[in-house]
């Protein structure tokens, strides 16, 4: 049987870890969305050097392990004199890592909109930006929502990387409690349940958005 | 109104348009015909710079189309375009499709744009579809919305790039009828089409193209009765005798 006394005795630690995981996830979600959108625009922009910067960022970041990206912020930045606390370094690593995937998702969504849409809009006199805003992006967003939801769910789970660098998240406190009690299995079951509290609602929110957008045609 | 002078276009090594010379006057209806891959669509798409030309001069409404200093968005306001695949915005209603450009480009108020849109929907015969989405309409209805969308900008020129090629035979007529009416009202029109009946009845002039060249320019009477070019004769015999 699962020993609930572990949960009750260490409630404060679980709660602090949960709060920090939630905080890291929210910050990284917003940050990676903004950063990812910027790099997606770089990749499709008509300006060549921006394409290169966008491509370099995406290919470099998404092809190395998340933990290395986090180390870049945790041990790399101090090497050049910028010292961040583990929570911040971990969250920034998570943000940058996820942004690479978000950028690809958004780019693919924009390019999935048929070329004729751009031609119709531009030939009626709309500018490039107006075309993006009123014609292309509203259609791209429908294509992008399901894969974007996956990225955000992954992000929440990937935030457990903070545990490795003492980032005070759920995983970190889970490890602490396990080391404290020598009860490993039960401790991590509760850790898993706390992650589900975040990911399940996120998952059903994405499904809801998907259904709503499908109706709007 | 539209004037090509020694216009050439290359796609890499492929020479799409060769020494095009063509002058289209205000109010004229010019129908461009020819086999697939002859450069008809490309030529028409050069007029509003959906395609750029490699060399030569193209003047539309007294503006050099390919000049770097040309405000292309301003020129495009005066040129409506209808595509083979309609290219209506699927996330917008019929009314929103028609009013987007007038509101965002011309700065017309939404109310005025709605009234104009309804006027043109009436004109193309489907005012009752204003609040529907494009996917709820038949192909012919969608193409008529696309025409109304072009007209709502009150353009000086309307370009039609194979407007009936994607339609099922039953709905071709309703689109051609709208185009005929437009021609009679004096709109300057350039039409790429395989509809020979329309060409014969409505065109002021037929332009026949093959392999990137204009091989023949003639009135419909001349062209259909007695084309001077062998290639045109062959083309006509193939499409008229089946």
């Amino acid at each position: 049987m699962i020993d609930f006394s572990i949960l009750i005795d260490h409630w404060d630690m679980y709660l602090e870890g949960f709060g920090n995981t939630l905080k890291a996830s929210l910050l990284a979600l917003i940050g990676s969305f903004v950063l990812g959108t910027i790099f997606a625009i770089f990749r499709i922009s008509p300006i060549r050097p921006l394409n290169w910067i966008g491509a370099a960022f995406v290919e470099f970041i998404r092809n190395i392990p998340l933990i290395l990206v986090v180390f870049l912020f945790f041990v790399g930045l101090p090497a050049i004199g910028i010292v961040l606390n583990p929570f911040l370094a971990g969250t920034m690593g998570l943000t940058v890592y996820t942004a690479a995937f978000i950028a690809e998702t958004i780019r693919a969504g924009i390019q999935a909109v048929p070329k004729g849409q751009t031609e119709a809009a531009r030939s009626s006199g709309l500018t490039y930006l107006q075309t993006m805003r009123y014609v292309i992006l509203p259609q791209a967003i429908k294509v992008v929502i399901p894969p974007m939801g996956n990225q955000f769910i992954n992000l929440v789970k990937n935030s457990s990387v903070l545990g490795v660098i003492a980032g005070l998240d759920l995983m970190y406190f889970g490890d602490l409690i396990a080391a404290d009690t020598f009860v490993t299995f039960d401790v991590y079951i509760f850790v898993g349940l706390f992650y589900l509290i975040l990911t399940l609602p996120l998952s059903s929110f994405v499904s809801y958005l998907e259904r709503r957008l499908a109706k709007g045609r | 109104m539209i004037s090509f002078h020694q216009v050439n276009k290359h796609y890499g090594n492929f020479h799409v348009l060769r020494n095009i010379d063509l002058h289209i006057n205000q109010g004229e209806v010019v129908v461009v015909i020819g086999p697939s891959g002859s450069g008809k669509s490309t030529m028409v798409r050069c007029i509003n710079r959906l395609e750029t030309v490699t060399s030569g001069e193209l003047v539309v409404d007294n503006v050099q189309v390919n000049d770097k200093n040309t405000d292309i968005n301003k020129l495009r306001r005066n040129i409506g375009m209808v595509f083979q695949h309609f290219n209506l915005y699927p996330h917008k209603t019929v009314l929103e499709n028609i009013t987007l450009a007038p509101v965002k480009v011309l700065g017309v108020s939404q109310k005025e744009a709605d009234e104009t849109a309804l006027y043109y929907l009436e004109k193309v015969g489907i005012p009752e579809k204003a609040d529907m989405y494009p996917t709820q309409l038949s192909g012919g209805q969608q193409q008529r919305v696309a025409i109304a969308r072009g007209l709502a900008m009150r353009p000086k020129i309307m370009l039609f790039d194979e407007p009936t090629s994607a339609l099922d035979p039953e709905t071709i007529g309703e689109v051609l009828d709208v185009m005929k009416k437009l021609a009679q009202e004096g709109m300057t029109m350039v039409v790429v089409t395989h509809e020979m009946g329309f060409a014969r009845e409505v065109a002021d002039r037929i332009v026949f193209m093959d392999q990137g060249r204009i091989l023949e320019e003639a009135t419909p009477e001349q062209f259909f009765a007695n084309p001077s070019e062998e290639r045109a004769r062959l083309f006509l015999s193939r499409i008229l005798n089946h």
Side-chain angles (χ1 to χ4, degrees):
Chain A
M1 270 309 288
I2 297 169
D3 183 359
F4 278 92
S5 70
I6 290 189
L7 180 63
I8 295 159
D9 291 347
H10 299 89
W11 182 248
D12 290 352
M13 290 166 94
Y14 274 119
L15 216 59
E16 190 181 346
F18 179 75
N20 284 331
T21 289
L22 178 65
K23 211 161 83 182
S25 298
L26 277 178
L27 287 172
L29 193 148
I30 295 165
S32 64
F33 181 70
V34 173
L35 203 61
T37 307
I38 292 170
F39 279 106
I41 290 168
F42 276 20
R43 288 208 72 176
I44 58 160
S45 105
I47 303 160
R48 274 288 175 80
L50 289 185
N51 296 165
W52 297 329
I53 294 172
F57 171 80
V58 168
E59 294 306 338
F60 179 68
I61 297 295
R62 78 168 172 172
N63 289 313
I64 54 176
L66 167 61
I67 186 99
L68 285 185
V69 180
V70 170
F71 278 173
L72 206 67
F73 286 88
F74 189 55
V75 295
L77 286 185
I80 56 166
I82 305 167
V83 181
L84 301 172
N85 70 45
F87 175 82
L88 214 56
T91 305
M92 284 173 77
L94 189 61
T95 302
V96 168
Y97 180 78
T98 311
F101 291 90
I102 299 283
E104 277 303 273
T105 308
I106 292 178
R107 180 191 62 81
I110 290 173
Q111 289 179 341
V113 178
K115 218 175 140 227
Q117 293 290 308
T118 305
E119 291 185 348
R122 292 307 306 274
S123 71
S124 71
L126 292 170
T127 64
Y128 175 80
L129 288 178
Q130 286 175 324
T131 301
M132 273 291 159
R133 176 162 169 211
Y134 300 114
V135 177
I136 305 302
L137 291 180
Q139 295 184 63
I141 193 102
K142 290 176 199 182
V143 186
V144 160
I145 290 246
M148 191 89 101
N150 282 336
Q151 299 299 347
F152 287 147
I153 290 165
N154 277 337
L155 180 152
V156 174
K157 296 185 294 176
N158 283 343
S159 71
S160 60
V161 76
L162 266 71
V164 180
I165 56 166
L168 307 180
D169 69 322
L170 254 179
M171 203 63 202
Y172 170 79
F173 281 107
D175 289 343
L176 274 192
I177 299 164
D180 207 25
T181 57
F182 297 110
V183 184
T184 45
F185 187 65
D186 300 23
V187 168
Y188 290 116
I189 288 215
F190 294 123
V191 169
L193 287 176
F194 275 108
Y195 277 109
L196 285 175
I197 291 176
L198 292 178
T199 47
L200 284 180
L202 186 58
S203 186
S204 55
F205 178 65
V206 172
S207 311
Y208 161 78
L209 272 187
E210 236 175 286
R211 279 196 308 274
R212 247 195 69 153
L213 289 170
K215 235 186 295 173
R217 234 170 279 275
Chain B
M1 198 71 173
I2 303 169
S3 172
F4 288 79
H5 184 66
Q6 288 295 301
V7 167
N8 280 277
K9 178 172 179 63
H10 299 261
Y11 279 128
N13 284 329
F14 183 44
H15 203 163
V16 206
L17 296 178
R18 301 170 190 250
N19 298 329
I20 299 291
D21 276 306
L22 180 65
H23 302 277
I24 297 170
N25 298 318
Q26 192 168 352
E28 211 179 359
V29 178
V30 170
V31 171
V32 185
I33 62 176
S36 303
S38 57
K40 314 179 291 281
S41 290
T42 307
M43 183 177 81
V44 168
R45 288 161 58 89
C46 284
I47 295 172
N48 63 355
R49 214 212 264 174
L50 284 184
E51 305 282 351
T52 53
V53 307
T54 313
S55 69
E57 192 185 55
L58 173 55
V59 179
V60 176
D61 195 21
N62 298 319
V63 175
Q64 292 273 1
V65 176
N66 284 280
D67 193 285
K68 275 214 172 98
N69 299 320
T70 295
D71 182 351
I72 192 65
N73 295 322
K74 203 172 156 195
L75 177 65
R76 282 171 173 163
R77 289 176 198 178
N78 298 323
I79 309 173
M81 182 147 195
V82 176
F83 300 86
Q84 180 176 356
H85 296 288
F86 332 132
N87 298 350
L88 294 178
Y89 311 133
H91 61 300
K92 293 186 176 294
T93 64
V94 165
L95 204 66
E96 289 165 349
N97 262 275
I98 301 173
T99 58
L100 179 66
V103 171
K104 300 300 174 194
V105 177
L106 301 181
V108 171
S109 74
Q110 187 65 47
K111 185 169 166 287
E112 197 186 330
D114 285 348
E115 284 164 8
T116 310
L118 282 170
Y119 169 79
Y120 284 109
L121 275 179
E122 193 92 42
K123 188 161 179 157
V124 300
I126 38 174
E128 73 281 5
K129 305 290 185 193
D131 294 322
M132 293 203 167
Y133 283 91
T135 47
Q136 295 170 295
L137 306 183
S138 72
Q141 290 168 338
Q142 290 191 47
Q143 194 60 300
R144 285 189 279 162
V145 172
I147 294 173
R149 179 172 69 176
L151 292 175
M153 292 293 283
R154 303 190 194 281
K156 298 178 182 168
I157 299 166
M158 282 291 284
L159 307 176
F160 294 85
D161 187 5
E162 303 207 23
T164 58
S165 298
L167 298 178
D168 58 80
E170 280 194 313
T171 61
I172 289 177
E174 64 196 43
V175 172
L176 292 179
D177 284 343
V178 169
M179 291 168 63
K180 263 179 226 170
K181 201 157 66 174
L182 206 55
Q184 283 156 8
E185 288 169 6
M187 175 65 77
T188 307
M189 290 165 65
V190 185
V191 184
V192 175
T193 187
H194 295 292
E195 294 297 325
M196 293 304 135
F198 175 82
R200 197 193 293 254
E201 191 183 337
V202 181
D204 294 311
R205 193 150 39 114
I206 305 278
V207 169
F208 177 76
M209 289 183 75
D210 187 33
Q211 296 186 355
R213 285 196 184 82
I214 294 181
L215 290 188
E216 186 160 354
E217 270 184 68
T219 64
E221 296 78 24
Q222 280 171 337
F223 182 79
F224 286 104
N226 189 20
S228 57
E229 285 286 331
E230 181 54 35
R231 184 67 187 85
R233 229 171 272 165
L234 185 66
F235 177 76
L236 282 179
S237 74
R238 278 185 187 153
I239 63 166
L240 294 178
N241 299 332
H242 68 83

